[in-house]
């Protein structure tokens, strides 16, 4: 109640709140984020192995552009539109990282380093231009563009990193998932117990969720010869898509992710 009264007395805050087109960071935000990373990984693998890879990547890129265009074009936050864009970023980000390795023979450690440098450059330019990296400040078109460029790069970086630990370092998909589950506890505990900068903690966790979800999804989908459960990437993708749709539908009705 006090918070509502404060917002009513601060028109600027209300305006910024209305303009923001990103969700509040809640427990469901992180759950859906991890699920989208897994779905993106298995969906990408399923599609490129059953259809022409070049046409598949081109089609995924087109759908990504369309979904981002809709997200940028709407005036208010919509759970369905926002998470559709995130899913397509996940699918295409996976393809972008895999294409560098499969089609061009670039080692995962090289592509992971490349995407890390790109991400650092985006953060540097974003901060130099806007003086903040907080997602609570995504209230202008320029900041929204910085945000989505960051999101796309984190997905590509996470894909390359997860594949690097699973294959190059020979940890396997399940062990890689456990590794990133441990890493994601660092910003969580650091923020709660040691006063870690919340913006740094958020983006650290955001990057790690990608290889976390992708590693476990790969473990469920790939063959037993590759250390997986052999459930099939298609079935894993369908189940994850159904769970994501249910959770996003719940948020769309309850609006629990709206400030």
């Amino acid at each position: 109640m006090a918070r509502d009264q404060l917002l009513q007395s601060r028109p600027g805050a209300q305006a910024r709140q209305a303009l923001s087109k990103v969700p509040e960071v809640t427990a469901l935000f992180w759950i859906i984020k991890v699920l989208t990373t897994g779905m993106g990984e298995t969906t990408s693998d399923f599609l490129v192995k059953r259809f022409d890879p070049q046409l598949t990547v081109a089609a995924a890129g087109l759908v990504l552009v369309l979904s981002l265009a809709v997200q940028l074009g709407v005036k208010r936050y919509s759970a369905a539109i926002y998470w559709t864009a995130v899913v397509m970023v996940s699918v295409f980000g996976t393809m972008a990282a895999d294409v560098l390795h499969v089609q061009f023979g670039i080692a995962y450690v090289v592509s992971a380093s490349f995407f890390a440098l790109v991400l650092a450059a985006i953060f540097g330019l974003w901060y130099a231009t806007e003086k903040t990296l907080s997602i609570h400040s995504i209230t202008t078109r320029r900041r929204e563009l910085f945000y989505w460029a960051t999101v796309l790069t984190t997905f590509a970086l996470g894909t390359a990193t997860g594949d690097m630990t699973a294959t190059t370092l020979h940890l396997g998909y399940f062990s890689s998932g456990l590794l990133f589950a441990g890493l994601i506890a660092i910003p969580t505990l650091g923020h709660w117990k040691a006063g870690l900068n919340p913006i740094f903690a958020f983006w650290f966790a955001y990057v790690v969720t990608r290889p976390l979800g992708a590693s476990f999804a790969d473990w469920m989908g790939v063959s037993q010869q590759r250390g997986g459960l052999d459930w099939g990437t298609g079935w894993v993708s369908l189940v994850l898509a159904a769970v994501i749709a249910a959770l996003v539908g719940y948020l769309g009705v309850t609006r629990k992710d709206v400030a």
Side-chain angles (χ1 to χ4, degrees):
M1 183 67 176
R3 183 173 181 273
D4 293 338
Q5 292 174 342
L6 178 61
L7 286 174
Q8 289 174 1
S9 65
R10 296 173 57 190
Q14 285 183 304
R16 288 191 296 272
Q17 189 180 53
L19 288 171
S20 178
K21 291 190 290 181
V22 298
E24 284 291 291
V25 180
T26 63
L28 271 182
F29 172 90
W30 292 114
I31 292 172
I32 298 174
K33 173 63 168 59
V34 172
L35 293 175
T36 61
T37 65
M39 179 191 170
E41 180 73 20
T42 54
T43 301
S44 173
D45 290 345
F46 177 81
L47 292 175
V48 297
K49 291 179 180 179
R50 284 161 177 77
F51 304 100
D52 182 270
Q54 293 180 338
L55 292 178
T56 300
V57 173
L62 177 60
V63 178
L64 170 62
V65 170
L66 292 175
S67 63
L68 287 178
V70 173
Q71 167 66 24
L72 293 171
V74 296
K75 300 300 183 183
R76 295 180 180 275
Y77 166 73
S78 165
I81 293 174
Y82 173 86
W83 286 109
T84 297
V86 172
V87 166
M88 290 312 306
V89 166
S90 178
V91 173
F92 186 78
T94 301
M95 291 179 176
D98 287 344
V99 162
L100 290 178
H101 180 73
V102 177
Q103 298 295 324
F104 298 100
I106 298 176
Y108 284 125
V109 64
V110 175
S111 58
S113 300
F114 168 75
F115 287 123
L117 291 174
V118 172
L119 181 61
I122 293 173
F123 276 139
L125 183 59
W126 184 356
Y127 188 80
T129 305
E130 304 296 333
K131 307 305 180 186
T132 180
L133 300 177
S134 172
I135 65 165
H136 299 295
S137 68
I138 312 298
T139 56
T140 67
R141 175 55 56 84
R142 185 165 62 186
R143 291 179 180 182
E144 194 175 6
L145 291 173
F146 275 125
Y147 174 80
W148 285 105
T150 302
V151 170
L152 178 58
T153 307
T154 61
F155 272 89
L157 170 61
T159 297
T161 303
D163 286 336
M164 179 184 68
T165 59
T167 59
T168 305
L169 299 182
H170 306 293
L171 292 182
Y173 294 111
F174 183 73
S175 296
S176 291
L178 294 179
L179 169 65
F180 293 113
L183 285 177
I184 204 170
I186 294 176
T188 305
L189 295 176
H191 178 53
W192 286 348
K193 302 297 184 181
L196 185 67
N197 181 281
I199 297 176
F200 175 83
F202 171 82
W203 285 115
F204 185 100
Y206 198 93
V207 171
V208 175
T209 56
R210 172 56 183 175
L212 170 64
S215 295
F216 282 119
D218 270 333
W219 171 63
M220 290 185 286
V222 302
S223 65
Q224 294 180 357
Q225 289 78 7
R226 296 174 59 190
L229 298 177
D230 200 17
W231 291 353
T233 54
W235 285 110
V236 173
S237 298
L238 285 174
V239 171
L240 292 177
V243 177
I244 292 169
L247 293 177
V248 172
Y250 170 77
L251 291 178
V253 172
T254 64
R255 295 183 61 82
K256 287 185 177 294
D257 58 341
V258 179

